[in-house]
Structures are given as C-alpha cells and as structure tokens.
Amino acid sequence: MSAATTRSRTPDRLCAEAVDLARAAAEEAAAPGVVGEHVGVLAEGDRVVTHFFRCMELGYRGWRWAVTVARASRAKAVTLDEVVLLPGPDAVLAPEWVPWSERLRPGDMGPGDLLPTEADDLRLEPGYTGEEAPPPNSPVSEEMAELVEAEDAEVTAAPPAKLPAVPARGSIPAVAEELGMRRARVLSRYGLHTAADRWDEAFGAKTPMAQAAPASCVSCGFLTPVGGSLGQAFGVCANEFSPADGRVVSLAYGCGGHSEAAVMPTPPRPAEPVIDENRVDPFPLRPAPDSGSVPAMPDEESAELGHS
C-alpha cells in the first residue's frame, strides 16, 4: 500500500502528518519490537485518519497495526482515537469456523462417543405417541385412523412407556409395534431417501464392481432381505468373500461372488489301481552271483562263514 491511500476523500493534513503520535500509540499497545514501518494512511472521514504500521510479530504475517487519529473542527491538536490489529490484503487468516455437526464425517465416531440429534432433524419424525390422533407428519395418521374405524378397534391415550408389553390385537399400538414405529421418533421420508441414495452410491448398479459382475444381487443366494419399504430395493450381503459382506447393497448391485454365477468344477478322481492276479513275479531268496551284492567265491566250501 502506498503512503497516501485514500478512500473517497483527501486525508486531513494535520492528521496525516501525525505519524509519530500514531507509532507511539501502537508501540504502547503492542509488544516491544513488533511495530514495523509505516505502510499507509486512510481517510475515514472528515478530520479522521487511520495510520497503518507493519506487524513484525511471528504468526501475524500480513497483519497491520491500525491507529486512528482525529482532530476537532478548527483545532490544531490531533488526538488518538483507537489502536487495533487488523489483517491486511495478504494476511494469513485462520480458516472459517465450521460447527462440529458440519465437520463430522462417516467413521469419525469411536467407542464412547455420543452423537446427539437435533429436535428438528429432517431425517426423523415423531413415531406413535399413544394419542388418539397421531401427529400429522407421522406414518401412523390418516391411513391408520381409517383402519381403526373400519375394524372398530380401541385406541388408548397412554404414552408408549405405560403401554402394555403386548398390545391388544387390532389396536393402533399393535399395528405400530408390527411396523416398528413404537418409538419416540422414526425415519422420515427424507431420511429414507437420503439413506437409499447413500447406499446406492456405495453399492449400487453404477459402481465398477456391479458393471463387471456376471449377475445382480436380486438372484444371489447370499442376499439377506430387509424389512420395510427399503426391502423393495435393498438387502444385506452375507457372502464373507464379497467386498460388500455385511453391507446394505442394492438389488441391482453385483460382484463375482454371486452364488449362481459359476459352478466349482469337480476335482478329477485318480484312476483305480489295476492288479494282475494271473502274473507271478519271482522273488529270489538269494542274490544272483553276478549281482555284485556279495563277492564271488571260487570255492563255496572254503568260505569261512559261508553264505546265507
């Protein structure tokens, strides 16, 4: 920045010349030796000028000491207004603060960690509360109410904590328990869609593994079905050799571990041994004289020990 920077007006002459006053104020507010050279002046208003000094403190590269001075109308004395440390155009700044809920990524949770959910989390909606008229955004609302009227079922107003362990058959608690909604909150339609999109992106039909697979998971014997509406498009892989073992996979996903993609070839069996019972193989009890196993004796009776 030049030594005479202006915004839209010419700085006051007396205020612009009060460099020593501004430096003394900056050195009083800062640590010794961290106020550098004068790098500019800026007119803030009528008879209000800000002087900038380079900051020499480690860790504040590009920052400047800003000292604002002012002068009253028709007065010749310049007075001090304020002293602050401000970042310059090329200053090193800390990254913008992001809440922890936005910094959290899948897999960041460890043993003992708690992840609270907000009261207005879009992925959740109220479950069955035991009231005669469930919340309007709950799955158990209009359809279930019509079913109760058609079957002349009884509705209890007790909260879920006070409901009997086994609700009466044909009541709303029985239907809610069968659907897995006797909880304070259940997945909303938005939560179902986001989960389905996330699972389909990881183990869906557009992945390279599925594109090269011989068949899809819908016909695989290792696919374990899941309940609810998600069971129409997803299941759990139970093949320990598959890259998706224990994961929720799309029915259109596939891999080389498909149960019916290839049949293990039968290993070849060795031929039966052939025994010829009509042939007699001679086994001499004594070695032949010319076999070399015993030395040849000119006279067998002259041998000291003889042969065996």
Side-chain angles (χ1 to χ4, degrees):
M1 179 178 291
S2 64
T5 302
T6 61
R7 176 178 296 175
S8 61
R9 58 180 64 89
T10 303
D12 181 75
R13 182 180 62 84
L14 294 179
C15 292
E17 293 176 354
V19 179
D20 296 337
L21 174 64
R23 177 181 292 276
E27 292 177 349
E28 182 179 356
V34 299
V35 179
E37 68 273 15
H38 185 262
V39 295
V41 60
L42 177 65
E44 303 286 358
D46 294 339
R47 297 179 300 279
V48 180
V49 173
T50 298
H51 294 270
F52 296 99
F53 300 89
R54 190 182 306 277
C55 181
M56 308 302 295
E57 189 171 0
L58 297 178
Y60 286 86
R61 187 183 65 188
W63 287 65
R64 304 174 301 179
W65 286 100
V67 182
T68 303
V69 295
R71 181 175 65 89
S73 177
R74 300 180 182 179
K76 296 183 178 180
V78 178
T79 59
L80 179 65
D81 191 357
E82 62 176 354
V83 180
V84 293
L85 181 62
L86 298 177
D90 56 346
V92 177
L93 302 176
E96 183 180 357
W97 182 80
V98 179
W100 69 267
S101 58
E102 299 180 13
R103 298 196 307 266
L104 193 65
R105 293 293 180 269
D108 289 348
M109 291 187 61
D113 295 341
L114 296 178
L115 178 60
T117 55
E118 299 179 359
D120 55 350
D121 194 326
L122 296 178
R123 300 171 300 173
L124 300 172
E125 63 184 12
Y128 175 68
T129 60
E131 300 293 337
E132 182 176 356
N137 59 339
S138 175
V140 187
S141 58
E142 298 180 0
E143 293 80 0
M144 293 297 103
E146 294 177 358
L147 179 61
V148 170
E149 294 179 359
E151 297 185 357
D152 195 17
E154 296 181 357
V155 179
T156 177
K162 298 181 180 180
L163 290 176
V166 181
R169 184 177 181 181
S171 62
I172 285 186
V175 177
E177 184 175 13
E178 183 178 355
L179 298 178
M181 290 184 294
R182 290 194 70 194
R183 292 164 285 171
R185 288 190 290 178
V186 296
L187 269 179
S188 64
R189 184 173 297 274
Y190 173 78
L192 289 173
H193 287 177
T194 55
D197 293 341
R198 187 171 60 253
W199 297 339
D200 187 74
E201 182 179 358
F203 297 98
K206 297 182 180 180
T207 58
M209 180 67 72
Q211 294 291 332
S216 59
C217 293
V218 68
S219 59
C220 181
F222 293 108
L223 181 73
T224 302
V226 297
S229 59
L230 290 175
Q232 303 176 9
F234 296 95
V236 178
C237 179
N239 188 351
E240 60 179 325
F241 301 107
S242 171
D245 179 38
R247 306 293 187 89
V248 179
V249 297
S250 171
L251 299 182
Y253 180 75
C255 68
H258 194 283
S259 61
E260 313 303 328
V263 180
M264 184 68 68
T266 304
R269 297 184 60 182
E272 297 291 338
V274 178
I275 301 178
D276 189 357
E277 299 178 353
N278 297 325
R279 180 181 176 182
V280 178
D281 297 328
F283 293 95
L285 299 178
R286 297 181 179 180
D290 57 350
S291 63
S293 60
V294 291
M297 302 298 293
D299 187 3
E300 188 173 336
E301 296 180 357
S302 62
E304 297 180 1
L305 299 179
H307 302 318
S308 60

